[in-house]
């Protein structure tokens, strides 16, 4: 099939490459000329395990193309996926849909034969209705069908998630579109993924409901970790004991820093504002958002306690600054608020991240990037394990750190407290 992905970010690039690998002809379009030029030369704009090999393979065999020419790419394709960003509007926390509606306007001037137009971007319920309205102002409804097909891939595991999804959700009442999309996704459903056909509005809401539920799970275990710290109980035991119940499940039930990334913070806010618009209060999700917003300051307080409130002049090392491992995405990472707060208190920050130096910290005085773990931790008073990269799981701290009384604050509970005690290392984890 001939596909066009509009927006070549995490979702557009990963799903475009995977669709081409499944035998489709795919054009990935972006308005970012530099990004497209880079991709044509084999420069992959994001860190995602396995992505570069797959891009090179499919670009070479010409099933995958990159372009900035939206009009031409649309006219050559049968199925158009909208994969542009839907960030949070600062004004009212709702989803900013300007990129979506701009694309809808561009699409309507490029349709001359039947196209399926799919929102893969996460969009509030009724956005599909609005896209249909915009396009039908210039194009007969017979020439297009607007479908919702939310994407559930996780950064860091995006390719595997795309190829082996739990489910493929298709929101449309149009039988022809449903049949074509069932066929498009058949290589995935034949391997066990469930195909869910529902209404467009339901598909839109399924995505928000799923993300809000996962954010709730994380926040729930984070709050329980706060209790565990007061009663000498290990939160890891609680996660295991709860997670083994099949009705609950162990995933997204590990205590740590506030949830971050490009999806949970913005999607929880957006679903709450959408519900408010329909005079419905999603009070559970509202309190999840509040609790998560408080989490970074709560963990900062713990840092101050660990340092006995003597932060000035202390050398603090962050191992990992992205919101989770195996991605270079810094969007809404808790390090973005923690590091500047520690700097304000007079700390000196050294950080190492396997995905390299971050623009976000380049201009902050007293924040330094080290290009190896050893260099980063060498002179530290406090080492904060912020992100759960495998690279951080077997460090010989005793050998690598020069300071005698250094402390470790393991925000991911990677290390065993007993082992650390035996090594005579001052060690703090989360909820234990
Ligand atoms: N990142 C994830 O893990 C993930 C997972 C599932 C769903 N989503 C959703 O998918 C959507 C996209 O997310 P992302 O992380 O891929 O975003 P992104 O910011 O990485 O990529 C969006 C791309 O769209 C391009 N773009 C914007 N307007 C354009 C236009 N008019 N023409 C061509 N290109 C245009 C931008 O230049 C950018 O490269 C969001 O709604 C997000 O919530 C993201």
């Amino acid at each position: 099939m001939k596909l066009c992905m509009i927006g070549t970010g995490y979702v557009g690039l990963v799903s475009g490459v995977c669709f081409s690998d499944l035998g489709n002809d795919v054009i990935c379009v972006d308005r970012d000329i530099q990004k497209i030029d880079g991709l044509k030369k084999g420069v992959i704009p994001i860190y995602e395990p396995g992505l570069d090999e797959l891009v090179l393979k499919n670009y070479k065999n010409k099933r995958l193309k990159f372009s900035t020419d939206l009009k031409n790419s649309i006219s050559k394709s049968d199925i158009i996926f909208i994969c542009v960003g839907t960030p949070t509007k600062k004004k009212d926390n709702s989803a900013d849909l300007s990129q979506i509606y701009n694309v809808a306007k561009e699409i309507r001037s490029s349709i001359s034969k039947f196209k399926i137009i799919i929102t893969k971007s996460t969009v509030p319920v009724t956005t599909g209705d609005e896209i249909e309205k915009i396009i039908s102002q210039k194009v007969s409804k017979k020439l297009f069908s607007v479908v919702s097909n939310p994407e559930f891939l996780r950064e860091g595991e995006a390719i595997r998630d795309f190829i082996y999804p739990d489910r493929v959700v298709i929101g449309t009442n149009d039988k022809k579109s449903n049949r074509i999309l069932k066929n498009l996704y058949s290589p995935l459903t034949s391997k066990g993924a469930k195909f869910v056909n529902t209404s467009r509005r339901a598909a839109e809401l399924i995505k928000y409901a799923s993300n809000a539920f996962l954010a709730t799970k994380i926040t729930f275990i984070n709050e329980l970790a706060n209790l565990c710290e007061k009663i000498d109980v290990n939160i890891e035991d609680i996660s295991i004991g709860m997670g083994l119940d099949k009705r609950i499940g162990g995933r997204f039930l590990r205590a740590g820093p506030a949830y971050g990334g490009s999806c949970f913070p913005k999607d929880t806010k957006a679903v709450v504002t959408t519900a408010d618009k329909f005079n419905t209060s999603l009070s559970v999700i509202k309190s999840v958002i509040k609790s998560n917003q408080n989490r970074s300051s709560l963990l900062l307080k713990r840092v101050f306690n660990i340092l006995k409130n003597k932060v000035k002049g202390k050398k603090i090392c962050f191992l990992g600054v992205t919101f989770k491992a195996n991605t270079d995405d810094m969007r809404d990472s808790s390090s973005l608020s923690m590091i500047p707060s520690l700097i304000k208190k007079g700390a000196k920050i050294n950080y190492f991240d396997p995905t390299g130096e971050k623009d976000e910290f380049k201009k902050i005085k007293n924040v330094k990037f080290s290009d190896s773990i050893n260099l980063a931790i060498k002179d530290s008073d406090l080492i904060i394990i912020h992100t759960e990269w495998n690279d951080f799981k077997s460090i010989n701290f005793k050998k690598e750190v020069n300071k005698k009384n250094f402390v470790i604050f393991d925000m991911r509970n990677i290390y065993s407290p007993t082992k650390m005690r035996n090594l005579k290392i001052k060690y703090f984890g989360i909820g234990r």
Side-chain angles (χ1 to χ4, degrees), residues 8 17 30 34 48 66-67 70 77 87 90 109 122-123 126 135 167 209 228 261 295 344 349 362 421:
T8 307
V17 171
D30 207 287
Q34 233 180 328
E48 186 60 48
F66 298 106
S67 173
L70 188 57
S77 309
K90 282 213 175 82
S109 53
T122 303
V123 293
T126 69
I135 298 176
R167 77 296 207 194
C228 287
R295 180 115 190 113
K344 258 193 202 152
I349 306 286
K362 273 185 183 158
R421 216 174 299 126

Short mmCIF file of all heavy atoms in Angstrom, two decimals, residues 8 17 30 34 48 66-67 70 77 87 90 109 122-123 126 135 167 209 228 261 295 344 349 362 421:
data_model
loop_
_atom_site.label_atom_id
_atom_site.label_comp_id
_atom_site.label_asym_id
_atom_site.label_seq_id
_atom_site.Cartn_x
_atom_site.Cartn_y
_atom_site.Cartn_z
N THR A 8 7.58 13.62 10.89
CA THR A 8 8.57 12.54 10.98
C THR A 8 9.29 12.64 12.33
O THR A 8 10.50 12.82 12.39
CB THR A 8 9.53 12.61 9.76
OG1 THR A 8 8.70 12.64 8.58
CG2 THR A 8 10.45 11.41 9.67
N VAL A 17 8.83 3.74 9.17
CA VAL A 17 9.89 2.77 8.87
C VAL A 17 9.36 1.34 9.02
O VAL A 17 9.61 0.48 8.17
CB VAL A 17 11.08 2.97 9.84
CG1 VAL A 17 12.10 1.85 9.70
CG2 VAL A 17 11.75 4.30 9.58
N ASP A 30 8.12 15.90 6.49
CA ASP A 30 8.23 16.82 7.62
C ASP A 30 8.49 18.22 7.08
O ASP A 30 9.06 18.39 6.00
CB ASP A 30 9.35 16.41 8.58
CG ASP A 30 9.08 16.88 10.00
OD1 ASP A 30 9.21 18.10 10.26
OD2 ASP A 30 8.71 16.04 10.85
N GLN A 34 15.92 20.50 7.64
CA GLN A 34 17.18 19.94 8.15
C GLN A 34 17.01 18.46 8.51
O GLN A 34 17.86 17.63 8.21
CB GLN A 34 17.56 20.70 9.40
CG GLN A 34 18.97 21.24 9.35
CD GLN A 34 19.28 21.98 10.65
OE1 GLN A 34 18.41 22.58 11.27
NE2 GLN A 34 20.52 21.92 11.05
N GLU A 48 16.81 5.81 19.21
CA GLU A 48 15.82 4.74 19.42
C GLU A 48 16.50 3.44 18.99
O GLU A 48 16.88 3.29 17.81
CB GLU A 48 14.57 5.02 18.57
CG GLU A 48 13.41 4.09 18.81
CD GLU A 48 12.87 4.07 20.23
OE1 GLU A 48 12.64 5.14 20.81
OE2 GLU A 48 12.71 2.96 20.78
N PHE A 66 11.88 10.12 2.01
CA PHE A 66 11.73 11.29 2.88
C PHE A 66 11.47 12.51 2.02
O PHE A 66 12.09 12.65 0.95
CB PHE A 66 12.98 11.49 3.73
CG PHE A 66 13.24 10.32 4.66
CD1 PHE A 66 14.26 9.43 4.38
CD2 PHE A 66 12.44 10.12 5.77
CE1 PHE A 66 14.49 8.34 5.22
CE2 PHE A 66 12.66 9.04 6.61
CZ PHE A 66 13.69 8.15 6.33
N SER A 67 10.59 13.39 2.48
CA SER A 67 10.25 14.55 1.65
C SER A 67 9.77 15.72 2.51
O SER A 67 9.29 15.54 3.63
CB SER A 67 9.15 14.14 0.67
OG SER A 67 8.69 15.26 -0.04
N LEU A 70 4.68 18.20 0.95
CA LEU A 70 3.47 17.58 1.48
C LEU A 70 2.44 17.29 0.39
O LEU A 70 1.90 16.18 0.31
CB LEU A 70 2.88 18.51 2.55
CG LEU A 70 1.72 17.97 3.37
CD1 LEU A 70 2.10 16.70 4.05
CD2 LEU A 70 1.31 19.00 4.42
N SER A 77 -0.17 9.07 -2.36
CA SER A 77 -0.47 8.05 -1.35
C SER A 77 -1.96 7.77 -1.24
O SER A 77 -2.80 8.61 -1.56
CB SER A 77 0.06 8.50 0.01
OG SER A 77 1.40 8.89 -0.10
N PRO A 87 1.12 19.34 21.59
CA PRO A 87 1.64 19.72 22.91
C PRO A 87 0.58 20.38 23.81
O PRO A 87 -0.53 20.66 23.34
CB PRO A 87 2.74 20.73 22.57
CG PRO A 87 2.37 21.28 21.23
CD PRO A 87 1.64 20.19 20.51
N LYS A 90 -0.12 26.36 26.97
CA LYS A 90 0.24 26.95 28.26
C LYS A 90 -0.95 27.61 28.94
O LYS A 90 -1.12 27.56 30.15
CB LYS A 90 1.37 27.98 28.07
CG LYS A 90 2.72 27.29 27.90
CD LYS A 90 3.86 28.13 28.48
CE LYS A 90 5.16 27.35 28.39
NZ LYS A 90 5.79 27.45 27.07
N SER A 109 -6.37 20.53 0.25
CA SER A 109 -6.07 21.11 -1.08
C SER A 109 -5.27 20.12 -1.94
O SER A 109 -4.79 20.48 -3.01
CB SER A 109 -5.31 22.43 -0.92
OG SER A 109 -4.19 22.24 -0.11
N THR A 122 -1.97 11.79 19.19
CA THR A 122 -2.94 11.68 20.28
C THR A 122 -3.80 12.94 20.29
O THR A 122 -3.28 14.04 20.50
CB THR A 122 -2.19 11.53 21.62
OG1 THR A 122 -1.33 10.40 21.50
CG2 THR A 122 -3.14 11.35 22.79
N VAL A 123 -5.09 12.77 20.01
CA VAL A 123 -5.96 13.96 19.90
C VAL A 123 -7.21 13.80 20.75
O VAL A 123 -7.75 12.69 20.87
CB VAL A 123 -6.38 14.23 18.43
CG1 VAL A 123 -5.18 14.64 17.59
CG2 VAL A 123 -7.08 13.02 17.81
N THR A 126 -13.44 14.03 19.69
CA THR A 126 -14.15 14.90 18.72
C THR A 126 -13.20 15.63 17.74
O THR A 126 -13.67 16.32 16.84
CB THR A 126 -15.10 15.97 19.36
OG1 THR A 126 -14.30 16.95 20.04
CG2 THR A 126 -16.11 15.37 20.31
N ILE A 135 -11.94 19.40 6.19
CA ILE A 135 -11.65 18.88 4.84
C ILE A 135 -12.90 18.97 3.96
O ILE A 135 -12.82 19.33 2.78
CB ILE A 135 -11.09 17.44 4.91
CG1 ILE A 135 -9.78 17.44 5.70
CG2 ILE A 135 -10.87 16.86 3.50
CD1 ILE A 135 -9.17 16.08 5.94
N ARG A 167 -2.60 -4.45 20.94
CA ARG A 167 -3.81 -4.25 20.14
C ARG A 167 -3.60 -3.15 19.10
O ARG A 167 -2.77 -2.26 19.28
CB ARG A 167 -5.03 -3.93 21.01
CG ARG A 167 -5.16 -2.51 21.58
CD ARG A 167 -4.10 -2.11 22.51
NE ARG A 167 -4.49 -1.10 23.49
CZ ARG A 167 -3.63 -0.44 24.23
NH1 ARG A 167 -2.32 -0.62 24.09
NH2 ARG A 167 -4.04 0.44 25.11
N ALA A 209 -7.40 7.42 27.88
CA ALA A 209 -7.74 6.61 29.05
C ALA A 209 -6.57 5.70 29.41
O ALA A 209 -6.24 5.54 30.58
CB ALA A 209 -9.00 5.80 28.77
N CYS A 228 6.03 3.78 52.70
CA CYS A 228 7.02 2.73 53.02
C CYS A 228 8.25 3.31 53.71
O CYS A 228 8.81 2.70 54.62
CB CYS A 228 7.44 1.97 51.76
SG CYS A 228 6.14 0.88 51.18
N GLY A 261 8.26 12.64 30.24
CA GLY A 261 8.16 12.23 28.84
C GLY A 261 7.18 13.08 28.07
O GLY A 261 6.55 14.00 28.60
N ARG A 295 5.88 15.59 43.13
CA ARG A 295 6.86 14.53 43.36
C ARG A 295 8.31 15.04 43.27
O ARG A 295 9.15 14.67 44.08
CB ARG A 295 6.65 13.39 42.35
CG ARG A 295 7.64 12.26 42.55
CD ARG A 295 6.97 10.99 42.97
NE ARG A 295 7.92 9.97 43.37
CZ ARG A 295 8.03 9.53 44.61
NH1 ARG A 295 7.26 10.01 45.57
NH2 ARG A 295 8.91 8.59 44.91
N LYS A 344 20.37 26.54 42.21
CA LYS A 344 19.95 27.72 42.98
C LYS A 344 20.43 27.66 44.42
O LYS A 344 20.72 28.67 45.05
CB LYS A 344 18.41 27.82 42.98
CG LYS A 344 17.90 28.85 42.01
CD LYS A 344 16.44 29.13 42.27
CE LYS A 344 15.82 29.71 41.01
NZ LYS A 344 14.40 29.40 40.91
N ILE A 349 26.73 20.75 39.56
CA ILE A 349 26.20 19.51 38.97
C ILE A 349 27.12 19.02 37.85
O ILE A 349 27.53 19.78 36.98
CB ILE A 349 24.78 19.73 38.38
CG1 ILE A 349 23.82 20.34 39.41
CG2 ILE A 349 24.23 18.44 37.77
CD1 ILE A 349 23.32 19.43 40.50
N LYS A 362 22.91 23.44 28.73
CA LYS A 362 24.14 24.06 28.23
C LYS A 362 24.37 25.45 28.80
O LYS A 362 25.50 25.85 29.03
CB LYS A 362 24.11 24.11 26.70
CG LYS A 362 24.64 22.82 26.08
CD LYS A 362 24.74 22.89 24.58
CE LYS A 362 25.20 21.56 24.03
NZ LYS A 362 24.84 21.37 22.62
N ARG A 421 25.35 -1.60 52.02
CA ARG A 421 25.70 -1.55 53.44
C ARG A 421 26.98 -2.34 53.67
O ARG A 421 27.90 -1.89 54.35
CB ARG A 421 24.55 -2.12 54.28
CG ARG A 421 24.38 -1.40 55.61
CD ARG A 421 23.15 -1.88 56.36
NE ARG A 421 21.90 -1.66 55.65
CZ ARG A 421 20.99 -2.60 55.38
NH1 ARG A 421 21.18 -3.84 55.77
NH2 ARG A 421 19.89 -2.31 54.73
#
